[in-house]
Amino acid sequence: MDARHAIPSPSASQAAMSESNRSHILDYLFRHGVSSRAEIAQVLALTPAAITKITARLIDAGIIRETGDIEGRKKRRSIGLSLANDTIHVIGVKFARSIVQIAVFDLAGTQLSLQTLPPVTERTIRTTLDQIRTGIQHLLDEDRHIIAVGMAVPGPYLRDVGRTAVVSSMEGWRKVNFLHEFAQRFRVPVFVEQDARAGALAHYLFDRTNTCEYLAYYLIGEGLGLGVIEHGRLIDGALGAATEIGHVSIDVHGRPCECGNVGCLERYCSAVAIHQEILTRGLVAGADTMNHEEACLALFAAADDGDRKAQELVQEVGRYVGYGCVTIFNMFNPRRIVIGDIVSQAGPRLLRAVREVVNERAIPELNDATAISLSELSTDSAVSGGTAIAITHFLEHPSTFFDVPS
């Protein structure tokens, strides 16, 4: 028989079913907090006996714990269950051209530590990789509760190959194969995802105000990226390079881009592009000695202080960001677009310019049905996104991380 059409053995089918049930229970506790066995059984359509058996093994594995009495159905007292958030930790790593950060979070998404490495240049990429390995190993040595590492890297990220196809303004990163560099280096598994998709996961998991299954995270930092969640799942594409809005052309006769196209959106509203405009227009004193984020923040501060020329550039940038939002409307039709990273720190002034463009150019029905906001996560979305990648894998495949009998 062709192995591709082989019938799974009963033991394999049972193991897959057990893992699926564990995953559903963990996902429910992650999203709803302390819950009773009876509540979980009812929601997941499992028998009380099955829930008792599965949760007992999850408790023995140290993944969940009993929390004491809670009020259950019909005012009856029940024993609550919760995830062991404080004893399950993950590392999140953000790669953003010149910026690399390493953080530790607990399972609830609470940041426990954050380290920013020295600024990266083309000449120091290899040194930075060594620093990352050393930093992660130190954290693993110090914290036995860490179960995984999640990395958020610039896109378009070729997931099966392990490298990024284009990194505008710092092409040296294209030579880095993240899987070869990190996948087998540590005692815990390492997961790698495009930074904007990681950011979308962070908002989906950690933004407790979010109830949206159709979410787009619009990353505007040193590069531009987009992560889209539909029905609670990321849109990846065949190679893992879907939703690359930064390389959508908004001007067929526009500025050349290192991807080979012209007029790419990120050539007009990324932090790199804004920094160049600041220098060209002479808007910020000392901008030539600043990094991209510092120059952008200085521009935004000048605009808030009433500098008319600074306000004009922020307005211009906001309009370009708005063109991207219209494209997101038409291509993906999300319910919510969250704008994050460096450029989102321009604040309400930027958002007003974005909405002006959307009101002018978007299909009215799509405009009426889509909320646009600035990210309110307490931690950088790509850093927490690296964490979200690892946590998602944990929730979906807990036996990969813990010894849980079927």
Side-chain angles (χ1 to χ4, degrees):
M1 180 184 291
D2 188 330
R4 291 172 298 176
H5 300 100
I7 299 172
S9 68
S11 60
S13 298
Q14 179 60 44
M17 179 62 71
S18 296
E19 184 76 337
S20 177
N21 288 337
R22 286 191 289 264
S23 174
H24 287 136
I25 290 170
L26 296 184
D27 185 73
Y28 186 83
L29 290 172
F30 182 87
R31 297 186 184 283
H32 295 88
V34 177
S35 305
S36 69
R37 291 175 175 83
E39 178 184 350
I40 297 170
Q42 181 180 36
V43 170
L44 300 184
L46 293 171
T47 66
I51 290 294
T52 297
K53 178 180 178 181
I54 297 168
T55 56
R57 290 174 173 171
L58 292 172
I59 289 170
D60 288 343
I63 300 174
I64 67 174
R65 59 169 64 111
E66 293 182 336
T67 62
D69 286 351
I70 61 172
E71 186 173 295
R73 291 182 297 164
K74 299 181 179 179
K75 304 295 184 180
R76 294 174 181 168
R77 305 302 295 175
S78 301
I79 296 175
L81 299 175
S82 72
L83 290 173
N85 289 330
D86 57 331
T87 58
I88 300 177
H89 300 164
V90 295
I91 294 174
V93 184
K94 169 187 176 176
F95 296 83
R97 294 166 174 80
S98 69
I99 303 168
V100 173
Q101 294 178 307
I102 306 173
V104 178
F105 293 78
D106 69 15
L107 193 57
T110 302
Q111 180 185 302
L112 305 177
S113 67
L114 175 66
Q115 176 188 8
T116 301
L117 298 188
V120 187
T121 68
E122 289 279 8
R123 294 189 300 275
T124 64
I125 288 175
R126 181 53 52 185
T127 299
T128 297
L129 295 174
D130 292 338
Q131 291 171 336
I132 294 167
R133 280 191 291 270
T134 300
I136 291 174
Q137 187 58 59
H138 175 74
L139 292 171
L140 290 171
D141 291 341
E142 293 292 315
D143 186 350
R144 63 183 179 83
H145 296 308
I146 294 172
I147 64 166
V149 178
M151 296 184 167
V153 304
Y157 175 67
L158 309 175
R159 65 172 175 232
D160 294 331
V161 178
R163 66 174 180 83
T164 295
V166 179
V167 186
S168 305
S169 78
M170 197 176 286
E171 286 293 283
W173 281 115
R174 291 183 63 184
K175 301 175 184 177
V176 175
N177 188 301
F178 294 96
L179 298 181
H180 292 171
E181 294 287 345
F182 298 107
Q184 304 299 323
R185 297 278 182 162
F186 310 109
R187 65 170 174 80
V188 299
V190 176
F191 305 98
V192 185
E193 182 58 274
Q194 181 248 36
D195 51 7
R197 280 201 286 276
L201 271 179
H203 284 84
Y204 186 69
L205 292 183
F206 303 139
D207 182 352
R208 298 305 179 186
T209 68
N210 178 64
T211 58
C212 182
E213 294 285 308
Y214 298 87
L215 172 70
Y217 176 65
Y218 188 5
L219 181 154
I220 314 176
E222 292 189 328
L224 256 70
L226 179 68
V228 178
I229 289 178
E230 185 170 27
H231 290 302
R233 290 284 181 180
L234 284 170
I235 295 176
D236 289 323
L239 301 178
T243 66
E244 278 300 326
I245 196 168
H247 296 290
V248 170
S249 180
I250 59 171
D251 183 355
V252 295
H253 303 293
R255 301 169 185 172
C257 180
E258 292 173 51
C259 73
N261 200 357
V262 297
C264 289
L265 183 60
E266 76 170 37
R267 294 287 287 112
Y268 298 87
C269 57
S270 67
V272 176
I274 295 169
H275 194 175
Q276 184 58 55
E277 283 299 310
I278 291 170
L279 294 172
T280 299
R281 303 183 191 190
L283 295 182
V284 175
D288 56 333
T289 64
M290 298 178 181
N291 63 35
H292 302 311
E293 182 173 22
E294 290 168 345
C296 287
L297 295 182
L299 174 75
F300 304 154
D304 290 340
D305 287 341
D307 185 312
R308 183 178 57 80
K309 291 184 178 180
Q311 291 173 351
E312 289 173 356
L313 180 53
V314 173
Q315 174 77 13
E316 183 179 320
V317 168
R319 290 192 65 83
Y320 284 119
V321 174
Y323 300 152
C325 284
V326 174
T327 300
I328 296 168
F329 279 24
N330 293 331
M331 293 180 68
F332 302 107
N333 184 207
R335 285 286 186 186
R336 182 184 179 200
I337 298 174
V338 180
I339 301 171
D341 217 282
I342 294 171
V343 178
S344 71
Q345 295 177 77
R349 188 183 308 278
L350 179 90
L351 195 57
R352 285 195 296 270
V354 168
R355 286 179 170 148
E356 285 176 9
V357 170
V358 168
N359 291 338
E360 292 169 4
R361 300 183 178 227
I363 297 169
E365 289 84 354
L366 300 185
N367 190 11
D368 292 343
T370 309
I372 303 175
S373 62
L374 303 177
S375 176
E376 295 184 356
L377 287 184
S378 58
T379 304
D380 180 283
S381 297
V383 181
S384 54
T387 301
I389 297 162
I391 289 176
T392 297
H393 281 276
F394 164 71
L395 294 175
E396 292 178 349
H397 306 287
S399 63
T400 302
F401 304 83
F402 290 86
D403 183 14
V404 187
S406 296

